Amino acid sequence: MNFYSVIIGTELLNGRRKDAHFSFLNNELLTRGWEQKASFVIKDEPPFIEDIFRLIKNDPDAVMFCFGGIGSTPDDYTRQCAANVFTSGKMEQNKSVEQCIIDQFGEEAYPHRIKMANLPLDTKQLKNVVNNVPGFSLEDRYFFTPGFPSMSQSMIIEALETFYPKNKEKYRYFLKAECSENDLIEIMHQMPEKIDFSSLPQIKDGKRSVVISVGSYDKEEAKYYFGLFEELLEQKNIKFILEDK
């Protein structure tokens, strides 16, 4: 699966607030063997929100976590944007969510808070441990949560534990070589797309080094392509050490 985060909030971009969603989601994914493919921090601007949603929807393996914009104020656009992109604009007053809002706020649910129950068709609920007003999901892979970390974080865990509790193991090998990336490019070109490969150049005290990472869900495949780097370094008499991470 390809995991995406969409963090909606003009206040993050103008510096009035600091984001806490990316690091939390990233950590929860990594502990389960998943990684993010992309993360977007965007303004509260409906056409742009929908453009990002469509971009992600075009990925058949996408799983999206969206933060913010599902409240009842005039600048909470996410519910309608989600409907426009994922349910052909169709929405409904979700009776179950409506009852949650009434139970939580009583008469103060009207006239504004009750609007949070107006959701895209066929949503499922994500439990809100703070005020009982649920987040929601579509197709078990598009998850929409509040902008408040205290509310969204338990929803992330709920979604991951329910639908994506653990990825299959990826085998990864690392080495650090006393050379530049340029010395290893001929092997880099041999890496197939299915191999998770990266090189991280470093400069310390004027000396160049590079950290090579090779990963695959196939252990023998990962060993083989990692071994190509080891062989080249030995042929060129370049010092290197194997690393754990």
Side-chain angles (χ1 to χ4, degrees):
M1 308 304 297
N2 294 325
F3 288 84
Y4 298 83
S5 57
V6 179
I7 304 165
I8 302 172
T10 302
E11 68 277 6
L12 298 173
L13 294 167
N14 62 26
R16 288 191 289 116
R17 286 188 179 179
K18 292 186 177 181
D19 170 61
H21 299 301
F22 175 86
S23 59
F24 183 84
L25 174 61
N26 217 47
N27 183 66
E28 292 297 322
L29 289 171
L30 290 172
T31 59
R32 293 168 173 80
W34 303 107
E35 300 171 5
Q36 288 197 70
K37 184 170 184 176
S39 179
F40 303 89
V41 182
I42 61 176
K43 293 183 65 175
D44 300 272
E45 189 176 288
F48 189 49
I49 294 171
E50 292 182 19
D51 284 344
I52 296 297
F53 286 173
R54 288 191 185 94
L55 174 68
I56 294 170
K57 183 183 177 183
N58 286 337
D59 180 348
D61 298 317
V63 177
M64 179 183 76
F65 287 89
C66 181
F67 302 88
I70 63 172
S72 59
T73 60
D75 62 346
D76 284 320
Y77 306 116
T78 303
R79 290 177 290 109
Q80 182 65 62
C81 290
N84 291 346
V85 173
F86 297 105
T87 61
S88 302
K90 296 178 181 179
M91 302 183 75
E92 63 181 350
Q93 191 70 7
N94 187 297
K95 296 302 181 182
S96 178
V97 175
E98 187 177 80
Q99 191 59 54
C100 289
I101 295 170
I102 294 170
D103 291 345
Q104 180 70 24
F105 297 105
E107 292 183 1
E108 293 183 358
Y110 299 92
H112 302 300
R113 289 188 173 100
I114 203 69
K115 295 176 182 177
M116 291 187 288
N118 190 30
L119 297 172
L121 291 180
D122 301 320
T123 60
K124 295 180 181 179
Q125 295 181 33
L126 296 169
K127 183 176 176 59
N128 189 328
V129 299
V130 176
N131 69 5
N132 201 40
V133 180
F136 64 93
S137 67
L138 292 163
E139 303 177 28
D140 297 336
R141 63 194 187 106
Y142 304 117
F143 302 96
F144 301 86
T145 71
F148 297 101
S150 58
M151 299 181 186
S152 67
Q153 290 179 357
S154 61
M155 296 182 189
I156 292 169
I157 293 173
E158 176 189 350
L160 289 174
E161 288 298 308
T162 302
F163 301 107
Y164 307 99
K166 191 72 176 177
N167 192 12
K168 58 184 178 180
E169 185 176 1
K170 179 178 281 189
Y171 301 93
R172 187 179 295 279
Y173 301 93
F174 299 87
L175 64 78
K176 183 176 182 180
E178 295 181 7
C179 62
S180 70
E181 289 180 299
N182 187 67
D183 296 302
L184 303 176
I185 286 179
E186 61 186 273
I187 300 299
M188 294 180 188
H189 282 302
Q190 297 180 38
M191 296 295 109
E193 288 187 11
K194 60 183 177 180
I195 286 291
D196 186 352
F197 161 75
S198 68
S199 65
L200 179 64
Q202 301 175 343
I203 301 177
K204 185 176 182 180
D205 299 326
K207 295 182 179 180
R208 293 182 179 273
S209 63
V210 59
V211 175
I212 295 294
S213 167
V214 175
S216 173
Y217 295 112
D218 184 321
K219 187 174 183 179
E220 294 306 312
E221 184 177 62
K223 281 185 174 180
Y224 171 76
Y225 285 104
F226 184 73
L228 296 181
F229 287 100
E230 293 180 291
E231 290 173 10
L232 181 67
L233 290 166
E234 289 170 354
Q235 290 171 7
K236 292 187 174 184
N237 293 317
I238 296 173
K239 292 181 180 180
F240 68 94
I241 58 172
L242 301 181
E243 297 195 332
D244 294 329
K245 59 181 180 177

